[in-house]
Amino acid sequence: MAEKKKIPLEFEKPITELYDKIAELETLSREQNIDMTSEINAMKNRALELETKIFQNLLPMQIVQISRHQLRPGTLDYIQLLFTDFVELKGDRVFADDPAIIGGFAFYQGQNVAVIGHQKGHDTKENIRRNFGMPNPEGYRKALRIMRLAAKFGFPVITLVDTPGAYPGLGAEERGQAEAIARNLQEMSRLPVPALSIVTGEGGSGGALGIAVADKVLMLEYAVYSVISPEACGSILWRDAAQSEAAAQALKLTAPDLLKLKLIDGIIPEPRGGAHNNHETAAQNIGQAIDVFLREYSRQNTDEILAKRYNKFRNMGFFK
Amino acid sequence: MSVLDWFSKQKESNAGRRAGRLDIPGDLWVKCPSCAAVLYKKDLEENHKVCQNCGHHFRLTFEERLSLTADAGSFREFAAELSAVDFLDFEDTKTYKKRLEENQRKTGRRDAFVCGEAAIHGYPAVLGIMDFSFLGGSMGSVLGEKFVRAAERALEKKLPLVVFTASGGARMQEGLASLMQMAKTAAAVARLQDSALPYIVALTDPTTGGTTASFAMLGDIHLAEKGALIAFAGPRVIEQTIRQKLPKGFQSAEFLEEHGFVDAVLDRQEIKNHLAKILKHFVQPAEQR
């Protein structure tokens, strides 16, 4: 990703400006042979402080922007960084293959697993091929096909969630987008192998949930998970898409808020400045969470796992 | 004649046209949104809110649906006490709390789903009915909980589950918790699937969003009321995405039948008989009292 020019997000600008200046000074000191170590170190400290401060005070809508960052690592990046011998499986065996969801078998530190995830692109061309990570019914049916194979062979299932939502298109409706998602929810609720879901970027509504009914649902620190996009919510409830900030605030879509509501099970920390600035560290942190999960669940029997999974979702909701 | 006269003349003719129209008192007459016929409200209601002219099905409230479906006096409601809480302190142009109060006052119900045990031409079943007039039939925590209790009651009493859907989708004012009701209800259907009890869904206008993408599309048998809109994404969202007009009849009950997602498209008056015919395959009618 280093070769791609990064366009900073609005709130990142003061940080990148400072780092640019540091780079300038470093070049200058090298070329002119002047010792500026103390100045440079002071500036580095300042940059660090600034970055920490900015990232501690992010508004929900700014976190939404990070979660959608074009250079944010996606499923393929994590597969490459965390798993070995990935064997991709394509197609739903009924209609087509959907490049917006990828999946297959792999090894995580020598252990068999199935990995399934939404896939966006890091550039426009790839994004168009992947339909911006918005699956058609075939994507959900392929995911289910892989999950059933995983169940057959006794492999735990790991899903990585990163989608604006299921695709609202003509063909998608014709071929039963709703049925495909509903079927996945039903089948995942009783899939007889351990299942872990990690929201790595955008958890966009039913399109995200369609592969995220799992024993443990975790979120990366700057991922979001919501019933509706803040823009759409703003335009429906406030009748103004520009009210997305207010909507993002009201929807409580950030990882800390959702953990407080007990709608997710944990948060995976991101490297300083967000996962898009350091794919490797983000992957390592995810790896640790997978490790903990596999260790905990390999000891449990299937009936116990299924009963707990049912009760986990059975108990979600607030009423009197 | 000055240019201005043209305008005054037009105004005059507009006014004339308006005067020529029927002066319709709002509560006595209804205009059919499909064929534009003006219908006498009492006639319309006697015809179960189906347009006598073109057969357009108007939406029903819970009470109207119940009286068309369950045998008179057979309905025994349960979980009626559940009501929603504004746990996010959600406020858009109004607070969620306020919206709930308004809708409760308007409908006389606590939320958008009512469930109970009932008899349909003598056949016993657990019956759930969604009411679109309550906050657009949106699925929040109460709906999810009541649906699950209905499924659990069906399991416990070994009864079929019959659910009428009418919903705009998940209830945004409950944030992600409303999305999770999709998983919760689908998991409850999975438990029913593991038993030998039939789960029958009757899709009515409109059934969209998270409701369609969860328990509404998981029935053993799907019935749909004529002309009902049944969709994942609403027509407006799709039109905005693909930037073209949708073909006529897209996402209608008939369209879903053609594409293999619905077993029968029925006239409103036929549904009860059809349900009874299905139930006959699974349960014995209650003894005649």
Side-chain angles (χ1 to χ4, degrees):
Chain A
M1 60 162 258
E3 68 274 13
K4 255 167 214 151
K5 176 102 180 81
K6 244 184 269 170
I7 302 161
L9 298 169
E10 199 53 44
F11 60 86
E12 286 180 313
K13 276 182 182 158
I15 307 165
T16 34
E17 273 164 22
L18 210 50
Y19 278 118
D20 287 348
K21 269 191 202 137
I22 293 169
E24 250 171 63
L25 271 188
E26 278 172 338
T27 329
L28 191 75
S29 92
R30 214 179 316 114
E31 280 171 359
Q32 312 274 332
N33 224 344
I34 316 167
D35 182 18
M36 290 195 279
T37 326
S38 66
E39 286 93 332
I40 289 172
N41 281 344
M43 279 178 83
K44 276 188 178 162
N45 280 337
R46 238 176 69 208
L48 197 76
E49 266 173 41
L50 185 68
E51 195 167 20
T52 313
K53 202 178 129 206
I54 287 176
F55 273 78
Q56 270 170 357
N57 295 295
L58 290 171
L59 296 169
M61 202 56 206
Q62 291 172 327
I63 296 175
V64 170
Q65 285 178 310
I66 300 177
S67 76
R68 293 174 181 168
H69 200 289
Q70 200 170 59
L71 298 181
R72 197 170 169 82
T75 300
L76 275 174
D77 299 303
Y78 289 124
I79 286 175
Q80 211 177 12
L81 289 164
L82 286 172
F83 300 92
T84 53
D85 297 298
F86 176 60
V87 176
E88 185 176 356
L89 303 175
K90 287 185 182 173
D92 66 348
R93 296 294 187 269
V94 179
F95 182 76
D97 182 52
D98 184 354
I101 287 187
I102 54 169
F105 301 140
F107 291 102
Y108 180 78
Q109 295 184 343
Q111 179 172 349
N112 290 100
V113 291
V115 195
I116 301 162
H118 299 98
Q119 186 62 45
K120 298 178 179 174
H122 288 312
D123 56 41
T124 308
K125 198 176 151 208
E126 181 71 359
N127 252 328
I128 289 169
R129 189 168 95 78
R130 303 265 180 207
N131 201 25
F132 296 82
M134 291 184 283
N136 275 288
E138 301 77 73
Y140 294 104
R141 291 179 182 136
K142 167 169 73 176
L144 183 57
R145 183 188 143 227
I146 298 170
M147 286 185 241
R148 282 181 169 148
L149 284 174
K152 171 176 163 180
F153 298 114
F155 301 163
V157 172
I158 298 165
T159 70
L160 303 175
V161 176
D162 184 18
T163 179
Y167 186 58
L170 219 89
E173 293 288 322
E174 260 171 7
R175 298 191 296 278
Q177 187 75 285
E179 192 274 344
I181 292 173
R183 185 76 46 205
N184 279 18
L185 304 182
Q186 178 188 294
E187 294 310 316
M188 283 193 89
S189 80
R190 57 177 173 181
L191 196 73
V193 283
L196 167 68
S197 289
I198 301 170
V199 185
T200 61
E202 257 183 297
S205 196
L209 186 65
I211 59 165
V213 179
D215 302 306
K216 282 270 186 299
V217 179
L218 308 176
M219 279 175 80
L220 275 184
E221 192 176 353
Y222 303 123
V224 295
Y225 198 1
S226 181
V227 62
I228 185 167
S229 78
E231 290 86 351
C233 183
S235 77
I236 295 171
L237 290 182
W238 282 264
R239 310 210 172 273
D240 179 5
Q243 288 288 354
S244 50
E245 181 64 61
Q249 200 87 249
L251 284 165
K252 301 276 186 288
L253 42 67
T254 66
D257 280 341
L258 294 173
L259 185 63
K260 246 182 264 159
L261 290 165
K262 297 198 172 110
L263 295 170
I264 60 164
D265 303 295
I267 300 173
I268 301 172
E270 289 192 31
R272 196 160 44 80
H276 58 287
N277 279 308
N278 190 339
H279 287 197
E280 289 74 18
T281 309
Q284 271 169 26
N285 295 351
I286 287 182
Q288 273 175 19
I290 294 176
D291 217 51
V292 170
F293 175 81
L294 291 178
R295 249 179 250 267
E296 185 184 341
Y297 278 81
S298 60
R299 278 178 283 126
Q300 300 183 21
N301 78 46
T302 310
D303 289 343
E304 205 180 302
I305 291 174
L306 289 181
K308 271 199 291 185
R309 192 186 303 156
Y310 180 81
N311 286 329
K312 169 190 163 78
F313 288 96
R314 168 75 183 80
N315 292 327
M316 280 188 188
F318 303 85
F319 50 84
K320 60 185 179 200
Chain B
M1 194 165 137
S2 86
V3 178
L4 282 174
D5 289 340
W6 297 356
F7 292 99
S8 62
K9 214 169 197 176
Q10 202 165 6
K11 244 186 220 160
E12 210 175 276
S13 72
N14 261 348
R17 222 177 294 151
R18 225 172 282 142
R21 262 191 213 162
L22 282 172
D23 188 17
I24 307 166
D27 51 350
L28 280 183
W29 298 85
V30 187
K31 196 168 147 187
C32 174
S34 176
C35 71
V38 177
L39 311 164
Y40 184 45
K41 204 171 172 187
K42 227 175 131 198
D43 288 347
L44 183 66
E45 272 160 13
E46 268 164 26
N47 200 33
H48 311 299
K49 287 198 177 170
V50 176
C51 172
Q52 297 98 313
N53 190 41
C54 72
H56 171 77
H57 287 51
F58 286 75
R59 288 170 188 164
L60 297 184
T61 63
F62 158 75
E63 285 83 4
E64 290 162 340
R65 179 66 66 187
L66 181 71
S67 75
L68 264 177
T69 310
D71 297 345
S74 73
F75 190 67
R76 299 278 174 272
E77 187 177 356
F78 56 80
E81 71 285 1
L82 301 183
S83 53
V85 285
D86 185 9
F87 58 96
L88 295 179
D89 290 321
F90 197 101
E91 184 171 2
D92 43 83
T93 53
K94 263 181 214 166
T95 63
Y96 178 37
K97 209 171 155 216
K98 187 96 198 283
R99 279 185 200 277
L100 284 170
E101 283 166 9
E102 284 173 5
N103 279 275
Q104 283 164 349
R105 215 172 312 126
K106 183 177 84 178
T107 61
R109 300 264 149 208
R110 296 218 172 159
D111 214 290
F113 184 78
V114 182
C115 49
E117 289 180 40
I120 298 169
H121 284 321
Y123 294 100
V126 174
L127 176 64
I129 295 174
M130 293 175 89
D131 191 345
F132 191 76
S133 63
F134 191 105
L135 262 173
S138 55
M139 168 161 57
S141 301
V142 170
L143 197 149
E145 179 67 19
K146 286 178 117 178
F147 181 92
V148 173
R149 291 202 192 173
E152 286 170 350
R153 178 68 65 104
L155 276 169
E156 177 200 329
K157 296 260 183 116
K158 299 205 182 340
L159 289 173
L161 176 62
V162 177
V163 173
F164 282 82
T165 61
S167 170
R171 189 173 288 175
M172 288 172 281
Q173 292 89 345
E174 293 191 14
L176 193 72
S178 69
L179 189 75
M180 291 306 147
Q181 304 312 307
M182 291 171 64
K184 176 169 171 169
T185 54
V189 176
R191 291 232 153 157
L192 269 186
Q193 302 285 1
D194 291 337
S195 72
L197 299 167
Y199 168 43
I200 301 153
V201 182
L203 302 145
T204 75
D205 187 68
T207 299
T208 63
T211 301
T212 320
S214 59
F215 63 89
M217 274 290 135
L218 294 172
D220 297 316
I221 297 173
H222 292 168
L223 311 179
E225 203 165 73
K226 250 181 200 169
L229 173 78
I230 303 160
F232 173 63
R236 239 179 314 151
V237 177
I238 300 174
E239 281 180 349
Q240 280 164 12
T241 310
I242 63 171
R243 293 175 199 285
Q244 52 187 6
K245 274 260 170 237
L246 292 173
K248 205 171 178 290
F250 189 70
Q251 303 178 312
S252 65
E254 294 76 8
F255 177 91
L256 265 90
E257 183 187 38
E258 193 186 316
H259 285 85
F261 293 101
V262 161
D263 296 289
V265 175
L266 301 167
D267 230 87
R268 179 165 290 162
Q269 279 96 325
E270 301 171 334
I271 293 182
K272 182 174 182 179
N273 289 343
H274 198 86
L275 278 173
K277 199 162 97 183
I278 294 169
L279 293 174
K280 190 175 176 184
H281 295 261
F282 306 102
V283 279
Q284 297 297 318
E287 285 161 60
Q288 302 294 325
R289 262 169 247 166

